[in-house]
Amino acid sequence: MTWDGYLEGFHAARPGITESVLRRARGGGTDPYGWLAEVVPPRGRVLDLGCGSAPLFRMLPGRSWIGLDTSAAELAAARAAGARPLLRARASAIPLRDAAHG
């Protein structure tokens, strides 16, 4: 079995597992998703690579947000949570130059 195959099967059997585990990490009264949401600039677009079940989408209401993940099961959980738009793809497939800005 390949690593990609393992990950797909793991997340298919446990959608939302990454969010569940990371929500247990606490500090300063919040979790890693809260830490990230606090430093996201108020304007601009958010490209959430490896968005999983889309916890960051729910923490940034009204923001221009795009979720990307390779797991169909994680994206289904994100869709069920109301997250849109969603893309099933690898981050390495995004046509950006190295060190691209803006």
Side-chain angles (χ1 to χ4, degrees):
M1 174 180 287
T2 66
W3 178 247
D4 290 340
Y6 168 78
L7 284 178
E8 181 65 25
F10 181 85
H11 285 279
R14 302 166 189 84
I17 187 69
T18 303
E19 179 181 358
S20 177
V21 169
L22 288 178
R23 291 243 183 241
R24 295 178 188 170
R26 306 293 298 180
T30 190
D31 59 36
Y33 298 108
W35 304 334
L36 183 56
E38 288 174 10
V39 298
V40 171
R43 292 193 167 83
R45 295 182 180 124
V46 175
L47 176 56
D48 191 348
L49 302 176
C51 69
S53 54
L56 190 58
F57 170 81
R58 296 187 299 273
M59 298 186 79
L60 300 171
R63 296 294 305 278
S64 178
W65 179 95
I66 299 170
L68 183 140
D69 206 294
T70 60
S71 170
E74 293 288 358
L75 290 171
R79 192 172 298 108
R84 306 275 192 292
L86 298 165
L87 301 170
R88 185 172 184 201
R90 293 182 174 286
S92 60
I94 299 170
L96 296 174
R97 297 181 321 271
D98 287 350
H101 300 286

